Amino acid sequence: MSTDTGTATTTTTTTTVPPGRIGDSPLRPDGTLKVTGEFAYASDLWHDEMAWGVTLRSPHPHARIRGIDITEALTVPGVWAVLTADDVPGENAFGLEHADQPVLASEFVRYEGEPVALVAADHPETARRAAKRIRVDYEVLPAVTDARRAMDPDAPAVHRPGNLVRHLRLRRGEENPTAPVVVSLDFEVGMQDQAFLGPESGLAVPAEDGGIDLYVATQWLHVDQRQICLALGMPAEKVRLTLSGVGGAFGGREDLSVHVHACLLALRTGKPVKMSYGREESFYGHVHRHPATMTYEFGAERDGTLVYAKAYVLLDGGAYASSTNAVVGNAGTLGLGPYRFPSVAVDAYGVFTNNPPCGAMRGFGCVQAAFAHEALMDELADTVGVDRVAIRQLNGMREGDLNITGQVIDSAAPVGELLQIVADFPLPPERGEGADPRSLPGAVNNTTHGEGVVRGIGYAVTYKNVGFSEGFDDYSTARVRLEMTGGEAVATVHTAAAEVGQGLITVEQQICRTELGVERVVVHPKDTAVGSGGSTSASRQTYVTGGAVKAACEAVRAAVLERAALALARPAADLRLDGEKIVGSSGEVLTGLAEVLGDDAVEETVEYRHRPTHAIDPETGQGDAHVQFAFSAHRAVVDVDVELGLVKVVALDTAQDVGKAINPDAVVGQIQGGSAQGMGLALMEEIVVTDGHVRNPSFTDYLIPTILDMPPMRIEVLEYADPHAPYGVRGVGEPPTISSGPAVAAAVRAAVGKPLRRVPIRPEHITGT
Amino acid sequence: MDFLQPSSWQEALDIRAERPDAVPIAGGTDVMVDINFDRRRPGALLDLGRVAELREWGTEAGVVRLGAGVPYTRIVEDLADRLPGLAMASRTVGSPQIRIRGTVGGNLGSASPAGDAHPPLLAAGAVVEVASAARGARQIPAAEFYTGVKRNALEADELIAAVLIPSAAGPQQFCKIGTRNAMVIAVSAFACALHPDRRAVGTGIGSAAPTPRRAVDAEDFLAGELEGSGLWESRGELPETLARAFGERVAAAASPIDDVRGSAAYRLHSLSVMARRAVTWAWNDLRKAA
């Protein structure tokens, strides 16, 4: 599958109207609604008589709360409730991996923006004004806002016993390797935000049974439910969640935001309570991508063959653990990229600071590391005098190789081929005289008519784990029901797997159509009435929930054939379900689905697990930590105004192995979006934090790429089936975010001729001002 | 909060006099942001959207009278020939939606040092026409209009009626730095205008001082050099050293700060580069026109 598309319009493979089986690209049910502005996002939730909840947040990165006086806030007309830590009925703690984060701060606040109190009122403005009348007596404490400083034994501890969240130690091969060629570098990556367009939002409705129904935009309903139950002190059957319209996620919705707060207010007031963050609050309301400080060293033979790697990766986890542990796991086990290293020493650290908490974001630990290992591969290529593509191909992983944790890469690892594809793509034409200003750095801002503009080309390649790793029990549940409705066979698929905009609903329908031969597939609302669908993260849903839907369909099909076998007095093994017909071994129609089912429905619920992964050895980091690897390569072509430091990305082309494109249009969409997000980190996206304070919590100053920043893309999709995965699929969503940024950074370095060891690359870095 | 909606200019001025607590609003692209963030909560909004005369422009004796409520989109569409510098700047304002709503009058009212309209107004020698019910109209040169960070010379009972901008007698340029290629608030901005009729050079600096300001020394320097070397007559090539020296003088006129959008050093550097390039483009246009 090869496509050449703009980013605004997808003119890829032809769109197929039903049947819409796997390999087709049926229209998404939410697509037209989103384009026309009619899609109901979580921020559109409404309930008669509902109250509005708002959050009072800490202005300090670190302080002791000496007291909170809510008296004045309670007197504001229209206020229904004001809550503090004392009002949390269960355990005042939540967290994805460790419940270390208070629902509402009690004794300490540990980052700027930490929730301290809640207000419910009959109007959001009333609630906001009342929140300003809450008097919090803070004793401001010294803040640890530098990750390196946090590592010092004498640094103030953000949590007891200390600031270390995880140290991943990985050793392989020789203990003190030497090589004739040694290159090294330091690299820094700034704090990126997910910048999803639909801010956090939810509606909690108290139920007659004393429980609560929460409608919320999230990535994993069941992990939310577990944490909410803990905080509310309620059993799971009393805390029911339903997914509402999600406007993007990218990891930023893995941790709780409004969830417990809205429930607390609803339970206290007895009213439905809606909470909806604005853009500014959203920057404080979710975790970000970990900033990284890295030191890398590669040893190689004179021909460029890698001999060893040493890497030090330090991730700033901010004030609470969130998923720092797993992000360190990725940065450590995957942090040298898709290359073969005989000897390796990696030390990856995640630490607590009083900076904003960092956690999951698309690419999850691999993004930061890729900037370092790809910059160093270029350095090595230049040092030994080998072409930058060729050196990656020389050292690139192949199927059957061991990675740095000693795990066999047991399906396709087309590193060399992906690089060759992007290297062979035609280059964009040279800039001519009288070029459209929009094609130049600065665009209509009219900063150059060609003066100072230098072109650069950069390459990068990556691999990323798909699914949860290091022994996590990573499964999805699917319930599929088949029945006749109005004379037509209808399948209903019910999973709790979150659709966050990536297109899972369409994929579920495609799998049901493929497996059951039906045309009509109803997707049940995503809720906790069915078992966990796992997280919509780690590029895992098509694989794991897709696998569960496939398995549930197979179970339904087997049950239907059993019924037919009974009716027909033939062995089920001789029967097939073909559309709405039951056929025999030579294809003869024996009976119809309508006859077999009658008024009954056949329903099966299946839990699907991918192959188990394993914890790594704590001393050596060795082990089969991951279930699957996904590979991608990018070539970036940039024009840089080297005098002003402004960049125009001219081309950002890519090749990626997806195993099997279940929905080719959706695959291309993921690759385009992921590439833009990676490019954004390379050139502009950074939450600027000074002394623990966020300085740019707005889309005025947190810049994300526009259509004038993102070029049309050439995309080549390979489909080397993974024999261990359903349909051979390989996760798609993350690799583009990992390899695009380093390719852009490399292209800028090539144009500018400076090391540029920090991203985002700012104009000041290019110009040296 | 009261919402006051006069339908004529006189009515607007009367209300302005009665309600000093009212904040005038045109496109709302600044005011509504402030209100939404609860940064200000005025007693009233004075909506000028129904005052038809504010949305008109016309020319008289070589001067464009631009109603304060003419949106940027119309400046780009209608005035690129007469006011090329302002049209170029208008094209860089926000997004298409913002350009449809936003107005030069609003930019002047907010008086942000980053307002895109200010540098070309300064370079062109524009005059702001303001009025009050009590004292009628008065004219304030743009260079005297900006009095501090987000402060201007308006009295409490005055409204901005129009901007009077001489039709371009020579080439004009506008350049703006942003860290992405669209929808940016200026990190720094520069406008220049060549006035061959009076052998003068106009400049405007944005986002690099507490207020938008001219680089008067650079203007005088370049005009003098052009005079001294006979270039106004000969229309010979602009020496690169001269363009560079002009750029340095423009940068010297600025007094920028470090902030989240850019460093002071980069602002100075970028101003000198933009000024050098812009004046070279303008001079080349002048030579072509000769």
Side-chain angles (χ1 to χ4, degrees), chain A residues 399-411:
Chain A
E399 184 170 353
D401 281 344
L402 300 182
N403 71 2
I404 61 171
T405 72
Q407 181 168 4
V408 180
I409 306 296
D410 62 1
S411 68

Side-chain angles (χ1 to χ4, degrees), chain A residues 132 451 643-644 701 704, chain B residues 38 180 261 266 276 281:
Chain A
K132 287 182 182 167
E451 300 91 334
E643 270 192 293
L644 286 174
D701 285 315
I704 55 178
Chain B
D38 209 14
R180 73 180 165 195
R261 292 180 193 143
Y266 176 73
R276 163 162 50 90
W281 301 331

Side-chain angles (χ1 to χ4, degrees), chain A residues 125 129 132 280 441-449 451 641 643-644 646-647 684 688 695 700-701 703-704 706 708-709 762-764 767 769, chain B residues 37-38 41 88 91-92 173-185 258-263 265-266 269-270 273-274 276-277 281:
Chain A
E125 198 51 48
R129 288 182 185 190
K132 287 182 182 167
E280 182 174 354
V444 300
N445 291 333
N446 189 41
T447 45
T448 180
H449 296 172
E451 300 91 334
D641 182 338
E643 270 192 293
L644 286 174
L646 304 179
V647 178
M684 62 187 85
V688 180
R695 295 175 64 201
T700 305
D701 285 315
L703 301 182
I704 55 178
T706 71
L708 284 182
D709 300 287
R762 296 184 55 90
E764 288 93 330
T767 59
T769 52
Chain B
F37 278 91
D38 209 14
R41 191 150 292 273
M88 292 168 97
R91 204 177 166 196
T92 74
Q173 287 288 339
F174 173 80
C175 324
K176 161 178 159 180
I177 300 283
T179 28
R180 73 180 165 195
N181 289 309
M183 287 178 64
V184 279
I185 292 180
D258 287 317
D259 68 13
V260 74
R261 292 180 193 143
S263 68
Y266 176 73
H269 167 77
S270 59
V273 174
M274 286 191 292
R276 163 162 50 90
R277 290 180 181 176
W281 301 331

